[in-house]
Amino acid sequence: GSIEMIGNATTPLTMFCIGFQIGGLKFKEIAGDFQVYAICFVKLLIVPVLTLLVVKLWAGDFSMLEKVLIIGLGMLGASYAKALKKHGFYIIAVTLDPDDIDYALDRHFIDEGYTQPLPEVIGQGDIVIFALYPHTFVDWIKQYQQLLKSGAFLTDVTGVKSYVVHHVQSILRPDVEFVPAHPMAGKEGQGIVQSSDTIFHRANYIVTPTEKNTPEGIRACEELGKLLGFSRISHLSVEEHDRVIGFVSQLTHCIAVALMTCNDQPHLEEYTGDSFRDLTRIARINDALWSELFVMNKTALLEQMDLFDKEFKRLRDMIENNHIDEMRDMMRRATARRALFDKKPPKEHKKESKA
């Protein structure tokens, strides 16, 4: 099969392989002169390698690309770097804080780090991952996209898509492709010190392609999700993504924030249990990022907040009016629905018994 794919190299490559016997091979017996031998040698070694590279890239396999450029080295950007470094990629990071670069270099999960988008740096990225605030990402594309390598593959980690995707894809150069994605992974806190490649394990990865994306680009984005360790890779439209995220992510953060600020009685931390800590874990929030996300997805988020408010008032009425049966029915429905959201352990392959 590999010989057939090489095309014009088939005849000299076949000659070379047939001529290679256990007793050895003399170059003059195969080629007759040095020039012909050199052509055979180049076609034997170079053509198959290039062919394999093209086939792998068309299939979305990044393993033969060397350089990943990560713009923004916060918790998610650094977590991407840690995960991809383990796969042998050469990692270049550009981020504002020189301390973050030193932290990453000292721990060997990046190979180079810079605080400025230097042309000679940006132009190296085969894969470019934007781990920036939404408005910063759009501004970066406006200012620096001319520095990107032709043919570069671009993706992101931003938590809202309508604003970002339409802005970026409408102004992006035609010789690079941006396939948006949202890693549904993270933890409380912020910054590079919170980074970990394990946050992707058993987590969800959402690809939000548009009509501007190619099948090859979409496959490449899926392959990236697999390399990072995500257990489920899904596709949503940009608009559907923002509606879903308004509920499963942004509303939950709003509830956690409001719960922590609705009662400021002192010393409550001395009496709380794990249920309160579990419910409010995400209240330890990056206020600059999440306030931006809330406002950019205002329509979808307000709709979900209204739905929650309506259901919460129903529960309040049940309690006030001693409607025990209705309350228990609501609790049973909540218990059944919550089970759907449990992370499932990886399936183990059963070993066949030997008879």
Side-chain angles (χ1 to χ4, degrees):
S2 61
I3 292 178
E4 293 175 357
M5 288 193 298
I6 294 172
N8 293 333
T10 302
T11 301
L13 178 57
T14 305
M15 290 173 57
F16 189 97
C17 294
I18 293 174
F20 188 82
Q21 301 294 334
I22 296 177
L25 165 65
K26 293 182 180 179
F27 296 145
K28 290 183 179 180
E29 293 175 356
I30 284 291
D33 59 42
F34 180 79
Q35 182 179 6
V36 177
Y37 161 67
I39 293 173
C40 293
F41 180 78
V42 169
K43 288 188 175 182
L44 173 67
L45 295 182
I46 303 302
V47 174
V49 170
L50 291 178
T51 302
L52 180 61
L53 176 60
V54 171
V55 170
K56 279 179 168 287
L57 296 184
W58 183 86
D61 185 349
F62 291 121
S63 61
M64 295 185 70
L65 288 177
E66 291 185 352
K67 294 188 177 180
V68 174
L69 174 63
I70 298 177
I71 311 294
L73 209 57
M75 181 185 67
L76 274 177
S79 297
Y80 269 59
K82 289 179 177 179
L84 295 175
K85 187 63 180 172
K86 290 183 177 180
H87 286 282
F89 289 96
Y90 190 90
I91 310 295
I92 306 171
V94 177
T95 197
L96 291 176
D97 192 340
D99 291 338
D100 289 343
I101 293 173
D102 291 340
Y103 181 94
L105 288 171
D106 290 344
R107 288 157 181 79
H108 308 292
F109 61 85
I110 68 171
D111 297 282
E112 301 178 33
Y114 304 88
T115 58
Q116 297 294 327
L118 305 175
E120 62 271 23
V121 173
I122 303 302
Q124 294 186 59
D126 299 298
I127 307 164
V128 186
I129 298 165
F130 291 91
L132 300 171
Y133 288 13
H135 80 278
T136 307
F137 176 26
V138 174
D139 289 344
W140 196 101
I141 292 295
K142 290 178 180 177
Q143 295 179 50
Y144 302 116
Q145 64 164 305
Q146 73 277 5
L147 305 180
L148 294 166
K149 173 189 288 188
S150 181
F153 169 82
L154 281 56
T155 190
D156 70 328
V157 304
T158 48
V160 292
K161 294 304 181 192
S162 295
Y163 174 86
V164 169
V165 174
H166 296 314
H167 275 77
V168 170
Q169 289 191 336
S170 67
I171 62 175
L172 194 63
R173 287 163 37 193
D175 61 332
V176 297
E177 182 170 356
F178 166 53
V179 183
H182 186 183
M184 295 299 293
K187 55 184 179 179
E188 67 275 17
Q190 57 185 295
I192 193 170
V193 296
Q194 299 290 336
S195 63
S196 170
D197 60 301
T198 62
I199 63 174
F200 305 131
H201 300 169
R202 295 169 60 188
N204 296 322
Y205 185 76
I206 306 173
V207 183
T208 59
T210 73
E211 69 283 353
K212 291 183 178 292
N213 291 125
T214 64
E216 295 79 15
I218 295 170
R219 280 196 295 270
C221 197
E222 294 169 348
E223 178 68 17
L224 179 62
K226 294 175 185 177
L227 285 175
L228 290 166
F230 287 94
S231 62
R232 182 186 289 111
I233 297 174
S234 305
H235 286 197
L236 288 175
S237 69
V238 168
E239 293 74 20
E240 183 62 19
H241 168 275
D242 286 356
R243 284 194 292 270
V244 169
I245 293 304
F247 175 68
V248 300
S249 177
Q250 295 179 345
L251 176 63
T252 56
H253 282 77
C254 289
I255 293 170
V257 169
L259 185 57
M260 289 305 307
T261 59
C262 72
N263 187 336
D264 59 359
Q265 178 181 336
H267 307 299
L268 286 176
E269 68 277 5
E270 298 176 9
Y271 319 120
T272 188
D274 286 341
S275 61
F276 186 84
R277 281 187 285 269
D278 290 343
L279 188 58
T280 59
R281 175 182 62 82
I282 55 176
R284 190 180 288 114
I285 195 168
N286 180 337
D287 56 285
L289 172 62
W290 282 93
S291 59
E292 181 174 329
L293 294 174
F294 290 169
V295 171
M296 284 187 173
N297 201 31
K298 180 190 303 184
T299 301
L301 177 55
L302 290 176
E303 179 182 349
Q304 297 303 326
M305 293 177 79
D306 289 342
L307 290 173
F308 177 81
D309 184 56
K310 179 181 178 181
E311 198 71 359
F312 195 76
K313 286 178 178 176
R314 282 188 63 237
L315 180 58
R316 188 187 187 285
D317 290 342
M318 293 176 197
I319 296 170
E320 183 177 24
N321 297 297
N322 299 322
H323 292 166
I324 302 297
D325 289 341
E326 292 181 26
M327 198 187 315
R328 291 184 62 188
D329 179 66
M330 185 178 184
M331 291 175 179
R332 285 192 292 266
R333 288 190 294 112
T335 299
R337 183 154 175 75
R338 176 61 181 82
L340 300 175
F341 291 80
D342 289 336
K343 288 185 176 181
K344 305 297 189 295
K347 292 183 179 179
E348 295 183 0
H349 297 287
K350 294 181 179 180
K351 295 182 179 180
E352 295 183 2
S353 58
K354 294 181 179 180

